[in-house]
Amino acid sequence: PVSLVYRDSTGLSARVSRCNPRWNEVDATTNQPPNPDERFEIASQMCGDDFMSVLSKIVEADLPARSIVEQAVNDRFECDASGEIIKLPSGGLPWKSEVYELEHQNKIEPLIKYVLYTDQAGMWRIQCVSVEGKAFENRLGLPKEWRGVRDQDLEKIAGIEGCTFCHAAGFIGGNKSYEGALEMARVALKKS
């Protein structure tokens, strides 16, 4: 059997631990061991910065995104009669955990399969919703024949104008227009 050599040591507790003076560490200037109180201050600042980073993400990104995702989930039947496709006004906002939570709270059936949004360049994306707790397993992937295909070749295979790409793993695709991305989602649902 293969034994692990690498251990993840990037978590907060590991980073704080590295602030402690090593058993043989000597300050090059004073030729003395480092001052543990100064190291404690460094570790305290690191913890405070980390906490504020998490808190600001929640307050400035996650909470504002929730109402947007909630509206999209509530409007899902306006997006498509199946209720399995939602449209977000823009990309980049955190939506996955919100979708799972809203589905549980509202006992949504059938589950949402696809999320439509624009990327930074204005292209429309269709992204598969993953199985909750399994980042690399989609509830419903994009059709196998689309995977790894781009532009006109994808338009021809899918029969949908404006297709730009489908990732080789089938978890995301793109189209030049919202209507095109929505049609990709609709066709993908029918092929399941």
Side-chain angles (χ1 to χ4, degrees):
V2 176
S3 62
L4 294 176
V5 177
Y6 174 77
R7 299 261 190 270
D8 180 7
S9 58
T10 60
L12 182 60
S13 63
R15 289 184 286 134
V16 166
S17 178
R18 285 194 295 274
C19 291
N20 290 324
R22 294 183 302 279
W23 69 273
N24 59 352
E25 187 175 357
V26 175
D27 186 300
T29 310
T30 64
N31 207 25
Q32 296 293 314
N35 182 330
D37 291 336
E38 290 174 1
R39 293 295 182 89
F40 180 80
E41 289 297 323
I42 292 169
S44 293
Q45 182 67 45
M46 184 188 313
C47 291
D49 291 346
D50 196 67
F51 175 77
M52 289 307 296
S53 174
V54 170
L55 183 62
S56 65
K57 179 188 176 292
I58 291 168
V59 171
E60 297 171 8
D62 295 349
L63 292 176
R66 181 176 174 78
S67 63
I68 295 169
V69 175
E70 186 171 22
Q71 189 64 54
V73 169
N74 290 340
D75 294 344
R76 68 190 182 282
F77 290 102
E78 292 173 28
C79 182
D80 183 72
S82 69
E84 297 176 77
I85 305 167
I86 64 171
K87 173 190 173 189
L88 299 175
S90 66
L93 62 92
W95 57 265
K96 291 178 186 176
S97 62
E98 300 301 334
V99 166
Y100 301 139
E101 188 177 320
L102 290 164
E103 287 174 331
H104 289 297
Q105 282 178 356
N106 299 307
K107 298 176 176 46
I108 291 175
E109 280 294 330
L111 296 176
I112 295 163
K113 307 299 187 303
Y114 300 113
V115 177
L116 309 179
Y117 57 86
T118 56
D119 65 13
Q120 292 177 334
M123 178 175 51
W124 278 90
R125 300 286 180 123
I126 170 178
Q127 185 169 344
C128 304
V129 177
S130 59
V131 173
E132 189 172 2
K134 298 184 178 185
F136 297 103
E137 183 181 333
N138 299 319
R139 289 176 174 173
L140 183 61
L142 295 173
K144 288 187 181 355
E145 62 270 19
W146 295 3
R147 297 178 186 183
V149 184
R150 299 190 60 85
D151 304 318
Q152 292 86 5
D153 293 336
L154 182 55
E155 284 183 349
K156 188 182 300 180
I157 291 169
I160 302 166
E161 189 177 324
C163 291
T164 55
F165 80 99
C166 180
H167 190 277
F171 77 96
I172 194 167
N175 196 290
K176 294 174 184 171
S177 71
Y178 165 70
E179 294 76 18
L182 179 58
E183 188 59 22
M184 289 174 78
R186 287 174 171 161
V187 169
L189 279 176
K190 288 177 190 164
K191 288 184 174 276
S192 63

